[in-house]
Amino acid sequence: MGRGRHRAGPAHGRPRLHHHEHRPAARTAGARSGIAGFALASALGGAAPTFGWLVTARAAQGLFAALLAPAALSLLTVAFTGARERAQAFGIYGVVAGSGAGIGLLLGGVLTEFLSWRWTMFVNVAFAGVALIGAFLVVPRSQQARKPTLDVPGTLLASTGLFSLVYGLSSAEGHGWTSPWCWGLLGVGLVLLAAFAWWQTHATDPLLPLRILRDRHRAGALVSLLLVGAGIFAIFLFLTYYLQNLRGYSPVLTGFALLPMTLGIMLAGQVTSLKILPRLGARTVLTAGFALAAISAAWLTRIGMTTSYTLGILLPLVVAGVGLGCVLPPAMSMGTNGVAPQDAGSASAAVNTMQQVGGSIGTALLNTMAASAAASFLVGHDPADPATLTDAALHSYTTAYWWTAGIFALGALLAALILPSLRSGPHRRG
């Protein structure tokens, strides 16, 4: 793990501890339990005899992933404290997180095309086995003075509030934006989330201590991750629709076609974290990254049935990859930097949750906007005409990409307004 070199000192009336002393057993246990549970849920999902079984297994995957991701990120938070080693560690973590969707599409396409969809679940068992062995061999156990209790009311309020928001956005596709049902769900979701924020100031062991949001770097990073989560899923989702449904690409070819964005994230993430961010600062880097992603999404609004892959898809994907690579690793690092050791798990969970919530809200919202655009296009046209259906689909995709460009543009604006213009960026302790 990291090479901490802290000496004892009088800061805050106590010696500064070596980073291994800050690694609670709960994080180690959470990572191992999350890996093992995720592997078991994946195996059950791959063997699912019914759709209900598969849905239950997927829910279990989400449950154990919620244990795993924050635990893994909090281990990075407390283990890597030096500026350069922290930048390198979070650069790698951000690259892995950002490129996972693209690599997953490619691997999933290969498994689906040549084996079966069930192997998209079974393959997780092999990955989890390697990760579990590494966790036992590399990550040592340690002790913590007190086990925090689960904030059950906070968990219920946050979960039901977010569910209501996502379901409300999704229901607009079938009920329309004027539906009382749709706006009722959205209103209930907002009320529940407001109640969650209130409860966090009164709970003994809050799920999300609001003190971790008072730092401008951290708040800006979490908002950035929310918007990135919404946008990155949209790019992959609607290009998959376009390439497979309209251009006739196979699942494997689609995975390869989307790979340039993943490669862009991997390259830009490392270069940004180690070279550019320390020189220019978080505000400049994240603003530029979001701007590049917005340009890429606007570029993708030009797709058509005769669009050249190189000019119309490859180049905007590379631009998007570079832009998102400028956002993801710095935002993940800022989201957890400077938190007290006891808050590392909560901050890490917030980072992971923002990405997932952004993806869920973005997918629900943009799918609804795309479906509404397609339905509006078909008004006054012959829905039985294949050419009309193709044009309607293209119109829905381009509408979704204009909205995606708007999401990324909002990210650029908020990064410029929220993040302080400190050159040290996320390497300062907050």
Side-chain angles (χ1 to χ4, degrees):
M1 300 299 287
R3 302 183 300 277
R5 293 184 176 86
H6 300 313
R7 296 186 179 92
H12 303 293
R14 63 181 181 181
R16 296 177 66 186
L17 301 177
H18 190 280
H19 66 261
H20 289 302
E21 296 176 69
H22 281 171
R23 185 184 291 133
R27 293 173 193 138
T28 305
R32 293 170 178 169
S33 301
I35 295 171
F38 191 84
L40 177 61
S42 298
L44 292 175
T50 65
F51 179 72
W53 184 309
L54 177 61
V55 171
T56 302
R58 290 289 288 161
Q61 279 185 315
L63 173 65
F64 287 108
L67 288 176
L68 172 60
L73 187 55
S74 64
L75 284 173
L76 286 182
T77 301
V78 298
F80 296 94
T81 55
R84 182 169 180 80
E85 66 175 11
R86 180 180 175 84
Q88 186 173 15
F90 276 86
I92 294 172
Y93 186 90
V95 164
V96 171
S99 59
I103 294 175
L105 282 173
L106 176 58
L107 180 59
V110 171
L111 294 173
T112 301
E113 187 165 340
F114 295 105
L115 293 173
S116 162
W117 67 265
R118 295 182 183 275
W119 283 96
T120 64
M121 303 286 282
F122 287 140
V123 73
N124 293 323
V125 179
F127 292 144
V130 173
L132 193 58
I133 292 172
F136 275 103
L137 292 179
V138 177
V139 183
R141 284 187 176 274
S142 61
Q143 300 299 320
Q144 63 178 359
R146 181 182 73 90
K147 276 190 175 182
T149 58
L150 177 63
D151 179 12
V152 176
T155 301
L156 293 175
L157 287 170
S159 300
T160 53
L162 292 172
F163 174 81
S164 297
L165 280 182
V166 173
Y167 190 42
L169 291 172
S170 300
S171 67
E173 179 180 345
H175 296 85
W177 285 107
T178 59
S179 166
W181 170 254
C182 169
W183 287 103
L185 285 171
L186 294 176
V188 168
L190 292 176
V191 170
L192 289 172
L193 291 179
F196 167 75
W198 173 84
W199 173 251
Q200 295 309 284
T201 64
H202 294 76
T204 303
D205 285 309
L207 192 66
L208 177 62
L210 297 185
R211 59 181 174 270
I212 71 175
L213 302 179
R214 292 175 187 150
D215 179 76
R216 287 179 62 184
H217 273 110
R218 196 169 302 117
L222 293 177
V223 173
S224 297
L225 290 169
L226 178 75
L227 297 176
V228 165
I232 195 171
F233 278 100
I235 291 178
F236 281 131
L237 178 65
F238 292 103
L239 270 184
T240 300
Y241 289 163
Y242 165 73
L243 293 173
Q244 292 193 17
N245 296 341
L246 298 187
R247 300 298 293 269
Y249 282 38
S250 67
V252 174
L253 190 57
T254 299
F256 276 109
L258 299 177
L259 199 56
M261 180 169 161
T262 300
L263 297 177
I265 292 175
M266 294 172 66
L267 178 61
Q270 283 296 296
V271 173
T272 299
S273 296
L274 295 176
K275 304 294 184 182
I276 301 176
L277 185 64
R279 297 180 181 179
L280 300 181
R283 175 190 290 181
T284 301
V285 171
L286 266 72
T287 300
F290 271 120
L292 287 174
I295 291 171
S296 170
W299 195 338
L300 288 171
T301 62
R302 300 177 62 84
I303 56 174
M305 292 304 295
T306 59
T307 297
S308 162
Y309 171 76
T310 302
L311 296 178
I313 299 173
L314 173 63
L315 289 181
L317 283 180
V318 171
V319 172
V322 172
L324 295 174
C326 291
V327 175
L328 277 168
M332 288 182 172
S333 180
M334 286 189 295
T336 56
N337 188 47
V339 295
Q342 67 269 21
D343 290 334
S346 296
S348 301
V351 166
N352 181 66
T353 299
M354 282 297 181
Q355 286 181 278
Q356 300 303 320
V357 169
S360 298
I361 292 177
T363 300
L365 173 63
L366 296 173
N367 257 325
T368 298
M369 301 310 298
S372 299
S376 298
F377 184 89
L378 289 174
V379 173
H381 295 82
D382 182 9
D385 182 13
T388 298
L389 292 177
T390 297
D391 290 340
L394 286 172
H395 180 64
S396 70
Y397 303 156
T398 56
T399 299
Y401 280 124
W402 278 123
W403 277 87
T404 304
I407 290 173
F408 286 139
L410 177 62
L413 177 62
L414 293 179
L417 294 176
I418 295 176
L419 294 177
S421 57
L422 296 176
R423 288 189 176 275
S424 55
H427 306 302
R428 287 178 62 95
R429 293 191 66 81

